């Protein structure tokens, strides 16, 4: 089987799985309305499933979030720059079924990387005493877990785009520490934000492979995560870049 046909079949298989088996395996061109088996109902305004209570500081979909400077059309253009397609959306959504009970383990992995490196740990520490602000770190970690689910759900609308801008501001001096009243270094350098994408996505491979999917399906989910991470980090960089240069 050629690479394209194999990819085609895999894609159909994944869509069928996500729809509980009621979509023809070769429905490659249709933009799927993907609902994972047993999927929860989501509050369409906030993206928060009815079963999940809202986390402190998680303002997704609320009027507190400023409007993204990027338009929907510009977002569409950006996705094309990253070769991000509807197929990636399908594999991200498949990844939710794989990752949703592994979020805490992922967070432990990522926190481990941060705490192993003083230049990264500094962002959770008081700049003078170097004491870790544990309450702050805990509050942020909860929203980080929510981010894993939001990334996997891949529902791209204005509220999502606006919240990407907000996440960027919360890493930048514009808003760091504000949400949780933190007492830590007041700005995450752009270089750490970008380089850390590798620390997020590389360790995910074994998590994505832990539920018995074929190596090819795992690779598809992994590629989709890479592209999504790069696209989000790109959006987060906006506050760091001189006006007109973004
Ligand atoms: C590039 C990969 C990264 C991802 C996916 C990521 C993800 C997130 C998310 C989802 C939030 C919470 C946003 C919210 O409030 O809802 C957040 C905030 C935060 N992140 Fe990151 N982050 C990344 C890079 C970094 C790096 C490199 C550091 C530093 C080690 C860092 C440290 C923090 C801190 C301290 C906050 C809290 C900011 C505040 O509100 O004061 N992040 N991050």
């Amino acid at each position: 089987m050629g690479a394209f046909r194999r990819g085609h079949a895999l894609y159909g298989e994944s869509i069928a799985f996500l729809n509980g088996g009621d979509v023809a395996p070769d429905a490659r061109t249709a933009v799927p309305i993907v609902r994972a088996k047993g999927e929860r109902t989501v509050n369409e305004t906030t993206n928060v499933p009815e079963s999940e209570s809202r986390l402190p500081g998680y303002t997704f979909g609320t009027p507190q979030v400023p409007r993204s400077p990027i338009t929907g059309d510009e977002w569409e253009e950006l996705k094309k720059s990253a070769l991000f397609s509807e197929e990636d959306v399908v594999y991200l959504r498949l990844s939710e079924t794989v990752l949703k009970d592994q979020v805490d383990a992922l967070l432990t992995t990522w926190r481990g990387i941060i705490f192993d490196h003083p230049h990264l740990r500094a962002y959770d520490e008081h700049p003078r005493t170097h004491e870790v602000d544990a309450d702050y770190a805990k509050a942020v970690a909860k929203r980080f877990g929510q981010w894993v689910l939001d990334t996997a759900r891949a529902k791209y609308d204005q509220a999502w785009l606006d919240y990407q801008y907000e996440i960027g501001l919360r890493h930048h001096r514009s808003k760091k520490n504000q949400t949780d009243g933190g007492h830590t270094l007041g700005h995450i350098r752009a270089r750490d934000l970008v380089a850390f994408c590798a620390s997020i996505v590389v360790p995910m491979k074994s998590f994505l492979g832990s539920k018995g999917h074929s190596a090819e399906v795992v690779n598809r989910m992994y590629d989709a995560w890479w592209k999504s991470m790069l696209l989000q980090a790109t959006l987060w960089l906006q506050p760091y870049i001189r006006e007109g240069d973004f």
Side-chain angles (χ1 to χ4, degrees), residues 56-59 110-111 114 119-124 136 140 143-148 163 166-167 169-172 175-180 182 184-185 188-189 192-198 200 229 232-233 236:
Y58 179 67
T59 53
W110 294 326
R111 300 302 304 170
I114 290 172
H119 72 287
L120 298 176
R121 194 173 59 225
Y123 296 123
D124 280 337
Y136 168 79
V140 174
R143 298 197 299 277
F144 209 123
Q146 178 69 46
W147 172 82
V148 174
Y163 203 61
E166 175 72 12
I167 293 177
L169 292 168
R170 289 184 186 192
H171 287 86
H172 187 263
K175 279 202 173 168
K176 187 167 184 288
N177 286 326
Q178 278 184 25
T179 305
D180 308 288
T184 67
L185 206 56
I188 294 171
R189 296 176 302 195
D192 293 323
L193 196 57
V194 173
F196 200 70
C197 293
I200 293 285
M229 181 70 261
Q232 290 182 74
W236 299 351

Side-chain angles (χ1 to χ4, degrees), residues 164 168 172 189-191 193-194 232-242 246:
Q164 300 313 303
H172 187 263
R189 296 176 302 195
R191 68 182 100 150
L193 196 57
V194 173
Q232 290 182 74
T234 303
L235 294 172
W236 299 351
L237 282 180
Q238 176 133 21
Y240 289 82
I241 293 174
R242 200 168 31 196
F246 185 70

Side-chain angles (χ1 to χ4, degrees), residues 30-84:
V31 175
I33 304 196
V34 178
R35 288 233 179 262
K37 281 179 189 166
E39 195 185 3
R40 70 277 169 261
T41 42
V42 172
N43 179 320
E44 293 297 332
T45 319
T46 62
N47 201 37
V48 178
E50 307 292 1
S51 58
E52 283 169 25
S53 56
R54 184 170 275 281
L55 297 165
Y58 179 67
T59 53
F60 194 124
T62 70
Q64 285 152 271
V65 179
R67 181 91 174 177
S68 167
I70 290 286
T71 65
D73 286 348
E74 286 169 329
W75 164 239
E76 289 304 319
E77 209 174 66
L78 194 59
K79 284 197 285 187
K80 291 193 173 75
S81 303
L83 282 185
F84 186 94

Side-chain angles (χ1 to χ4, degrees), residues 126-246:
H126 192 285
R128 264 183 296 104
T129 64
H130 297 289
E131 205 176 308
V132 170
D133 187 336
D135 292 341
Y136 168 79
K138 214 185 286 170
V140 174
K142 288 198 179 130
R143 298 197 299 277
F144 209 123
Q146 178 69 46
W147 172 82
V148 174
L149 301 178
D150 287 344
T151 298
R153 286 168 192 164
K155 185 182 160 221
Y156 305 127
D157 54 13
Q158 189 64 44
W160 180 85
L161 205 50
D162 294 345
Y163 203 61
Q164 300 313 303
Y165 184 49
E166 175 72 12
I167 293 177
L169 292 168
R170 289 184 186 192
H171 287 86
H172 187 263
R173 66 175 62 78
S174 322
K175 279 202 173 168
K176 187 167 184 288
N177 286 326
Q178 278 184 25
T179 305
D180 308 288
H183 298 92
T184 67
L185 206 56
H187 176 76
I188 294 171
R189 296 176 302 195
R191 68 182 100 150
D192 293 323
L193 196 57
V194 173
F196 200 70
C197 293
S199 287
I200 293 285
V201 183
V202 170
M204 291 186 78
K205 190 127 193 205
S206 59
F207 290 88
L208 291 169
S210 69
K211 296 282 167 73
H213 293 286
S214 69
E216 275 198 85
V217 169
V218 172
N219 276 335
R220 302 275 169 143
M221 289 191 277
Y222 186 63
D223 283 350
W225 264 88
W226 257 121
K227 292 182 203 174
S228 175
M229 181 70 261
L230 278 178
L231 283 166
Q232 290 182 74
T234 303
L235 294 172
W236 299 351
L237 282 180
Q238 176 133 21
Y240 289 82
I241 293 174
R242 200 168 31 196
E243 208 178 336
D245 284 358
F246 185 70

